[in-house]
Amino acid sequence: MALILDGIQIRDQILQEAKPRVAALKRPPGLAVVLVGEDPASEIYVRNKIKACHDLGIYSEKYAPPTSVTTAELLALIDQLNQQDTIDSILVQMPLPAHIDFSAVLQAIHPSKDSDGFHPFNMGQLVANGPGPRACTPAGVMEVLRRHQIPIEGKRAVVVGRSEIVGKPMALMLLQANATVTLCHSRTRALADECQRADILVAAIGKPAFITREHIRKGAVVIDVGINRVSDPVQAAAIFRNDEKAMANLKVRGSLVVGDANPLDMAELSSAYTPVPGGVGPLTIAMLMMNTIYLSERRQA
Ligand code: NDP
């Protein structure tokens, strides 16, 4: 029977360990969150981030410019936050409206206040194995593996998805932990064959239940980063093989949260896996808190 890698338990451990670090600082760490527009999912994420700050004693500020905000106005806000002493960490919630110059915004955040580690300087630090904040979601995956003592060194790791925020930094972090890493994407030929070689398979694709039994080697560890909503009953029935409980949940809730790997295939074939929800998701906020504390410690040293 596969081991379920419980992200909620690990999140709670990490947050517990963070408390003395916050208490040891002269002033509380400060996080500024910028949420542009009214995307309901982003509003929930931001609310959860601010609540996590509150629970840990981290000072937070929220800025919510309207969708009509210009890139120049956003850059001016970031500049103001870069200079504000009480703020150690700046997070701009993605996605941004299409008219905003996304990379100009990311590059405007001072690398010493880069809560997500997305600034090119910090991405470079990751490549060079230097110090700096690391992208939260892949850093959370590394915590899951480490805290469950899943061996990485010498293992074959396959990451599917090469985004700047998940896939690419994930591959680099696994490489630094001495895995032999293959990074796959939409142009990869014979994806299932590549995945079948994995001791550790990470799915970060953005397509519900895309990774199936043909991709999963028996006994592999599967990390499912995906968060997708499925509301079509036919699609849900196919993914959950008409499982009564899942179909009843769909009826009540109107949609189901599904990862990028088929949950039944993953449970059946893997030796250990992260469930969706309750796997990688809870760790992203915990790692944001850790980055904020780390940046604050550096600024207050
Ligand atoms: P992106 O859309 O930015 O990237 C998706 C990647 O998947 C791309 O590299 C793309 O390849 C690749 N891909 C798409 N289709 C295929 C295919 N048919 N075969 C192989 N590769 C494919 O997504 P993100 O990285 O932002 O997110 C990935 C998933 O993780 C999503 O489900 C998202 O919701 C979830 N997520 C979860 C978080 C959490 O806290 N748990 C945080 C962030 C994301 P190409 O580059 O060639 O286009």
Side-chain angles (χ1 to χ4, degrees):
M1 184 121 150
L3 172 69
I4 298 175
L5 304 170
D6 181 349
I8 295 173
Q9 209 183 336
I10 296 173
R11 174 199 63 193
D12 292 346
Q13 268 173 21
I14 292 173
L15 294 178
Q16 207 52 40
E17 291 164 14
K19 284 183 182 166
R21 284 177 62 183
V22 174
L25 285 164
K26 285 192 254 10
R27 66 160 172 80
L31 172 71
V33 183
V34 180
L35 169 65
V36 179
E38 283 158 16
D39 177 49
S42 296
E43 275 174 12
I44 294 172
Y45 291 141
V46 166
R47 201 179 314 139
N48 290 340
K49 287 169 183 175
I50 286 176
K51 182 178 180 306
C53 285
H54 181 78
D55 293 347
L56 268 183
I58 293 177
Y59 169 72
S60 67
E61 287 182 2
K62 178 184 162 189
Y63 294 84
T67 314
S68 60
V69 71
T70 63
T71 300
E73 286 164 341
L74 215 44
L75 295 182
L77 171 61
I78 290 168
D79 188 41
Q80 175 201 317
L81 295 169
N82 279 339
Q83 293 181 43
Q84 194 174 318
D85 244 2
T86 51
I87 294 299
D88 302 296
S89 176
I90 304 169
L91 178 131
V92 179
Q93 183 64 41
M94 301 294 156
L96 287 171
H99 68 275
I100 301 285
D101 182 347
F102 162 83
S103 68
V105 169
L106 286 190
Q107 291 185 36
I109 297 172
H110 195 277
S112 67
K113 293 194 175 189
D114 177 20
S115 68
D116 274 321
F118 294 159
H119 189 284
F121 177 83
N122 288 322
M123 287 294 262
Q125 286 293 80
L126 171 61
V127 173
N129 207 7
R134 300 294 197 234
C136 296
T137 302
V141 171
M142 296 308 285
E143 286 293 329
V144 171
L145 295 173
R146 193 170 68 78
R147 288 174 190 251
H148 279 281
Q149 290 165 350
I150 290 170
I152 304 175
E153 181 159 325
K155 298 294 176 186
R156 282 185 295 250
V158 176
V159 179
V160 189
R162 58 172 164 181
S163 72
E164 307 292 323
I165 62 169
V166 188
K168 241 182 244 178
M170 182 79 259
L172 286 163
M173 287 179 203
L174 288 164
L175 182 64
Q176 269 148 19
N178 294 323
T180 301
V181 181
T182 305
L183 182 52
C184 300
H185 45 78
S186 66
R187 314 287 168 86
T188 298
R189 268 183 279 164
L191 180 69
D193 292 348
E194 297 292 347
C195 293
Q196 277 287 346
R197 280 191 273 276
D199 299 309
I200 300 169
L201 177 61
V202 181
I205 308 157
K207 294 190 170 157
F210 180 85
I211 295 292
T212 60
R213 53 196 320 108
E214 65 166 324
H215 302 87
I216 304 170
R217 192 174 61 76
K218 196 162 172 32
V221 172
V222 183
I223 304 292
D224 188 353
V225 177
I227 302 176
N228 310 285
R229 283 210 169 266
V230 170
S231 49
D232 174 12
V234 176
Q235 191 184 12
I239 293 171
F240 290 95
R241 295 183 212 139
N242 276 317
D243 174 70
E244 273 180 29
K245 201 169 150 211
M247 298 314 285
N249 278 342
L250 175 65
K251 254 199 184 140
V252 175
R253 297 181 193 154
S255 66
L256 295 174
V257 179
V258 178
D260 288 346
N262 181 289
L264 304 183
D265 293 348
M266 192 163 60
E268 202 178 304
L269 289 165
S270 73
S271 57
Y273 69 97
T274 55
V276 178
V280 176
L283 286 159
T284 299
I285 292 186
M287 299 319 287
L288 170 68
M289 297 300 112
M290 296 313 290
N291 276 351
T292 299
I293 296 166
Y294 163 73
L295 293 171
S296 186
E297 286 170 342
R298 278 208 320 196
R299 290 191 65 247
Q300 294 193 54

